[in-house]
Each structure stands twice: as structure tokens, then as C-alpha cells.
Amino acid sequence: MSKGIDRKDFLKTSALTGLGLSMAPFSIAEGKDDRTVSLGFLGVGSRGTSHLNGMLNRDDVEIKAILDPNPDNLNRALDLVEEAGQERPEGYSKEEEYIDLCERDDLDGVIIASPWRFHAQQAVAAMENGKYAGVEVPAGLTIEECWQLVRTSERTGMPCMMLENVCYRRDVLAVLNMVREGLFGEMIHARCGYQHDLTPFIFNKDLEFGPGTGSVSSWRTEHYTKRNGDHYPTHGIGPVAHWLDINRGNRFVKLTSNATKARGLESHIEYYGGEDHPNEDVDWQTGDVITTTITTANGETIIVTLDTTLPRPYSLGFRAQGTNGLWELERDAVHIRGRSEQHQWEEFGKYQDEFDSILWKKMEKQAEGSGHGGMDFFVRNAFVESIKRGVNTPMDAYDAASWSVIFPLSENSIAKGGAPVEFPDFTGGQWLRNEPIFHTNGEY
């Protein structure tokens, strides 16, 4: 690692725990927070460019290498780094050169914002070469890819952090504090999802973040034509997993998934283009509304909804419910026994103030303008600060695997008529002893 971070000491300390990266890691290199972190980027389309700009706003990060096979993307990114006052990074223009980038000895970590199909293999390559892997969502598309992430992280001692920004939403962090303070009593049920009309993005390659950035239609649309499952569960399930201590005293046990018929994209085509639309003959596979019910080892249930191909406003549909009350995002309201009037909702605002995250209190100004209402700053900050301290990331390979695997598991359940499908235990039983590591140190 650059700037004196001792990777051998980090690996040795990780091995000495006897439990790999499942232990709370925040004492490995305490106080080593004044270093400069060197990063490489794999993919600088719309999302990768957002991360690049965010990292260039920090004075403790330097960008050494960037890969993108789209020459416009690559050159724009290289220019951005140079315009920020740093030396022009080395550029890589071929997909297979991700190995060369990961093998560089001047990088501490790699940000992976390439199309989904590359995420797991590139994260594995980063860890194999002693780099922290910061991978966009989802981290893996198959059960085996999820296992590869876990096994590689355990074997190499290198962290893999899925950059799930919604875990840092200000309201869901306040709810996490409420859960940990026992305000909801014993947790019973949660709801979440990704409910967002993506039809304009699916069909228009130049819509998202302007032309030439490689928008979702250049690769995401393919999944709607080939797979019928919840292929974007992590924005919702990430915060819920923290509320329910998944992989740390609890785990996902099984799921059942059902899909409606797939008519939304066809209806969009008929409405906007009819027979002249270039996608008129596409056979869409992903159901318009996919509903997944997850059960946990501790007896809670979770309902996860994917709804991205019908006209609707955006919503993540969060709900946290326990023996003492509940919070619903749609209402922006709570009901807490002993606090709320019987059968009445209370506005969430005063609870937001009372249980606000210490991260937001300390760094709200720094987060302004960083993307997605400030969430992007916090997820990037957590990745960088973990590297500087030489510790595990607050969301690790077990989280990346457990949340991402919902896609292939839901696909399997739907194919079997909604039959129950078991979750792999990626922790190998360590979930019974693991302590929470997310949002526990007040810093990241």
C-alpha cells in the first residue's frame, strides 16, 4: 500500500482474529488517519464519474489509474483529475486490463463502477492483489459470484465493501438508532424495495447524467430481457439488514418470490412509439412487480418489492415495525406506544432530531452536493477512512454477498412457482458471534 500503510501487518492482524473479517475491526490501526489514499477506478460512466468527482473533492485521495473502454468516458475522467490539480493518471482502454490495473503496486483501493456483469470478477481481482475493493451495487449476479467475494476476502484478508449509499440516508440512520435504543421494542417486520419508473432510462441511452456517460440502457436493459427476479434489492435490504443485525446475531434464512406478468415496458413502447419503436419486438422477461418475502433466524419477516417498469413516483417503501411501534417512510410518520396517542401517527421530524446520526451532525456541510442528498459522501468517506486506518470496512464481504444474492435466489423461487429457497450462510456460522460493525464508531 502507498504512503506507508503496512499491508503485511493488516493481513497478520486479520488472520490472528481466527474469524477472518467477521470481527469488529476498528482497533487494527487506530490513529493512522493522516495518510493519503491512492485509488484506481474501473468504470467512469455516470456512476463512476460521480464517485470520481467526490474523491477529487477530498485532499486525502489521489487518483493513479482509470479504466474505461469508452474513450469519451476515459478521456473525460483523466481530464477531470488533471483539472483538479493532480497528475494525469494512467489510462486503460481495454476491458481485460482490469487485471493490470489491480496489479499496480501504487494503489490502496479500487472503485468498481463498471456494468454489473464485471463487478464480482473485478472485486476479486482487487482483493487478490492486496487492494481494498469498493464495488457498486449489486456486488454479484450469481450465487457462485457471491461466494467468490466472501472466500476471496477471507483468504486474502482484504475487505470488500459494496458501496450501498442508501445505508447512509439520514432517516434510515435515525431509525437504526431508534431500533438500537429499543424504541420499537423487539423487531418483528420490515418492508423495503426499489420502486422507481426506470422506463425512460431503459430506453434512452443519453438521458441519465447527459450524453456519453454510458447510462443504464447501454447494459442494464439486458437484464430485463433475460432474467425474472429482483435484480436490484440492495438499496432497500441494506438498511433493513442493519436494523435486524443480519450477519451479526441474525441472518436471512429463506425467501419466497413471485412476479407479475411483464407488460409495463411493452405498454411504454405502445404509448410512445408503437410499431415504429426500435424495441417493439423485444420479449421482456422481468415481471413488472416482484414481491419477495424473507424470513430471518430470529423470526422477523421482510417484504422486498421491485417495481421499475410501471408509471409511478420514486419510493423505497421503508417500514420498521416492532412490538412497541413502527415507522413508515411513505407517511413520514411513527407510532410509538407510550409516546404517541392511541391509533394516531406522529410526524417523524422530532424523532429525526432526537435520534439523528452522529455522522450527519458532524459532517452535514461536507456532504452537501455530494450526490443522492449527501449519502454518497458518507459511503465514500467510509471506504477511504477504512483504508487510512487499515481496518475492515463497515459493510463487508458478508454484507455484499447476503444482499446481492437475493437476485439469483428470487429468480430461482419465481422459476419454481414461488417455492421457498434457502439462503447460503456466507459467514459459516459466525453470525451467531459477530458483533455489529456498521455505524458503531461515530466516525464512519
Side-chain angles (χ1 to χ4, degrees):
M1 290 181 170
S2 67
K3 304 297 180 183
I5 299 178
D6 195 329
R7 183 182 293 114
K8 290 182 179 179
D9 285 349
F10 175 82
L11 297 177
K12 181 179 179 182
T13 306
S14 297
L16 287 175
T17 66
L19 298 176
L21 293 171
S22 62
M23 296 291 288
F26 296 108
S27 62
I28 294 176
E30 186 175 357
K32 296 182 179 181
D33 59 357
D34 58 348
R35 304 178 184 276
T36 298
V37 170
S38 295
L39 298 178
F41 276 73
L42 297 175
V44 281
S46 59
R47 189 60 180 146
T49 299
S50 176
H51 283 314
L52 179 64
N53 281 321
M55 292 301 185
L56 289 173
N57 284 331
R58 302 180 64 105
D59 59 9
D60 57 356
V61 171
E62 55 188 9
I63 312 301
K64 292 290 191 178
I66 299 174
L67 180 150
D68 197 302
N70 181 322
D72 292 334
N73 288 354
L74 178 59
N75 290 325
R76 181 186 60 252
L78 297 174
D79 290 343
L80 284 171
V81 177
E82 208 167 23
E83 291 165 5
Q86 297 189 22
E87 291 186 12
R88 192 173 184 84
E90 184 170 354
Y92 297 82
S93 60
K94 298 178 181 178
E95 288 180 357
E96 62 272 18
E97 289 181 321
Y98 74 89
I99 296 291
D100 299 319
L101 184 147
C102 290
E103 288 178 343
R104 294 173 64 106
D105 60 8
D106 60 347
L107 299 180
D108 301 315
V110 179
I111 298 290
I112 300 163
S114 52
W116 295 353
R117 67 183 182 276
F118 299 121
H119 285 186
Q121 68 191 55
Q122 291 178 346
V124 166
M127 290 185 285
E128 291 280 11
N129 286 281
K131 313 297 191 294
Y132 278 66
V135 58
E136 261 300 336
V137 305
L141 296 178
T142 67
I143 298 171
E144 181 53 34
E145 283 186 347
C146 292
W147 273 114
Q148 289 172 359
L149 293 171
V150 168
R151 289 166 178 157
T152 304
S153 185
E154 289 179 333
R155 176 170 46 80
T156 63
M158 296 310 302
C160 176
M161 178 177 173
M162 186 165 62
L163 302 174
E164 183 41 79
N165 59 351
V166 179
C167 291
Y168 288 94
R169 256 182 76 132
R170 194 164 194 166
D171 51 2
V172 299
L173 284 178
V175 171
L176 176 61
N177 285 338
M178 293 169 70
V179 170
R180 289 177 174 172
E181 290 290 328
L183 225 67
F184 298 112
E186 182 179 355
M187 291 300 293
I188 300 295
H189 179 68
R191 296 186 183 184
C192 62
Y194 190 67
Q195 301 170 116
H196 184 191
D197 182 5
L198 291 180
T199 50
F201 305 103
I202 290 170
F203 292 122
N204 186 346
K205 67 180 180 179
D206 290 333
L207 182 59
E208 188 177 30
F209 298 106
T213 58
S215 72
V216 294
S217 65
S218 64
W219 47 268
R220 188 174 191 164
T221 305
E222 180 182 8
H223 296 279
Y224 289 90
T225 68
K226 293 183 178 180
R227 302 182 69 173
N228 191 14
D230 186 338
H231 44 65
Y232 211 60
T234 70
H235 283 340
I237 204 65
V240 170
H242 294 312
W243 299 342
L244 301 183
D245 292 328
I246 298 303
N247 296 328
R248 295 164 183 89
N250 197 6
R251 79 176 187 93
F252 300 138
V253 175
K254 65 180 178 180
L255 65 70
T256 60
S257 294
N258 290 279
T260 68
K261 54 191 174 184
R263 293 291 185 270
L265 295 175
E266 183 179 312
S267 174
H268 178 93
I269 289 169
E270 291 173 353
Y271 187 85
Y272 288 102
E275 295 181 356
D276 296 329
H277 196 284
N279 300 110
E280 195 271 333
D281 294 327
V282 174
D283 183 17
W284 305 103
Q285 297 298 311
T286 304
D288 291 320
V289 179
I290 294 176
T291 306
T292 299
T293 300
I294 300 173
T295 57
T296 73
N298 288 351
E300 302 98 350
T301 59
I302 308 160
I303 296 176
V304 188
T305 304
L306 178 73
D307 176 359
T308 58
T309 52
L310 298 170
R312 59 157 302 125
Y314 176 85
S315 174
L316 293 173
F318 283 120
R319 174 173 166 182
Q321 188 167 16
T323 56
N324 209 40
L326 76 163
W327 167 70
E328 285 192 358
L329 175 63
E330 297 293 280
R331 296 176 184 269
D332 193 28
V334 297
H335 176 83
I336 304 295
R337 182 169 57 190
R339 284 194 174 210
S340 310
E341 292 187 22
Q342 192 171 16
H343 306 303
Q344 299 296 315
W345 291 99
E346 289 186 86
E347 291 185 2
F348 182 62
K350 68 177 184 180
Y351 289 86
Q352 177 69 67
D353 293 340
E354 182 178 354
F355 295 96
D356 198 14
S357 163
I358 189 172
L359 295 177
W360 278 90
K361 290 178 180 179
K362 289 168 55 178
M363 293 184 281
E364 180 178 4
K365 291 296 184 183
Q366 293 171 260
E368 287 181 358
S370 66
H372 292 95
M375 299 185 299
D376 288 353
F377 166 81
F378 290 103
V379 75
R380 287 191 288 259
N381 185 65
F383 185 68
V384 171
E385 292 298 329
S386 296
I387 294 175
K388 289 166 68 173
R389 290 164 170 77
V391 300
N392 191 13
T393 51
M395 295 181 285
D396 60 18
Y398 302 124
D399 298 320
S402 299
W403 306 350
S404 298
V405 81
I406 292 170
F407 180 5
L409 294 184
S410 67
E411 188 178 34
N412 292 348
S413 179
I414 290 168
K416 296 175 181 178
V421 176
E422 293 187 359
F423 273 82
D425 178 7
F426 292 108
T427 74
Q430 297 301 332
W431 64 273
L432 288 163
R433 292 175 287 278
N434 290 345
E435 296 292 331
I437 62 174
F438 178 77
H439 201 240
T440 57
N441 70 342
E443 297 180 23
Y444 52 93

